[in-house]
């Protein structure tokens, strides 16, 4: 998935009041999402933790350029730890599915 399709995916998840007149994302309405889905610690040194009130079923981690770095499927857990010691320092995007919702967050790895 390239950055263009990732951006399209994020746009599809943004509520209509978060788009400008040209359809560009100006903000992502995360008020409800923040109550249900959390990632920590940021920055990440060894492990990224994801927690959600609903079962997390899949996780994809992308470099900011759009390249898929990690993919975890069929998880079905409220709490997931992902080792990041094999990832280079830099910024990443994590996309997770939990219940019927997709959550997108950015994080950075430091060594």
């Amino acid at each position: 998935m390239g950055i263009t399709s990732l951006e399209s995916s994020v746009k599809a998840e943004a509520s209509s009041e978060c788009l400008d007149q040209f359809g560009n994302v100006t903000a992502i309405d995360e008020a409800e999402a923040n109550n249900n889905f959390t990632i920590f610690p940021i920055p990440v040194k060894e492990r990224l933790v994801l927690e959600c009130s609903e079962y997390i079923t899949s996780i994809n981690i992308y470099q900011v350029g759009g390249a898929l770095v990690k993919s975890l499927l069929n998880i079905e857990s409220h709490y997931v730890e992902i080792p990041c010691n094999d990832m280079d320092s830099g910024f990443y995007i994590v996309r997770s599915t939990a219940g019927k919702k997709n959550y997108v967050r950015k994080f950075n790895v430091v060594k």
Side-chain angles (χ1 to χ4, degrees), residues 17-64:
E17 63 268 10
C18 298
L19 302 176
D20 65 14
Q21 69 268 23
F22 304 108
N24 296 315
V25 175
T26 57
I28 296 176
D29 184 4
E30 295 184 16
E32 180 183 348
N34 284 337
N35 293 331
N36 297 325
F37 183 79
T38 306
I39 67 170
F40 62 90
I42 296 180
V44 176
K45 291 185 180 180
E46 295 178 11
R47 295 184 182 278
L48 176 67
V49 177
L50 290 78
E51 284 186 323
C52 188
S53 59
E54 298 184 61
Y55 280 120
I56 298 168
T57 56
S58 68
I59 300 168
N60 290 316
I61 297 178
Y62 302 91
Q63 294 175 334
V64 291

Side-chain angles (χ1 to χ4, degrees), residues 66-79:
L68 180 65
V69 177
K70 292 188 181 219
S71 183
L72 298 113
L73 304 173
N74 303 315
I75 300 167
E76 299 198 22
S77 178
H78 294 283
Y79 180 91

Side-chain angles (χ1 to χ4, degrees), residues 1 3 6 61-69 88 91-93:
M1 172 183 288
I3 193 69
L6 186 58
I61 297 178
Y62 302 91
Q63 294 175 334
V64 291
L68 180 65
V69 177
D88 293 332
F91 290 93
Y92 296 86
I93 296 169

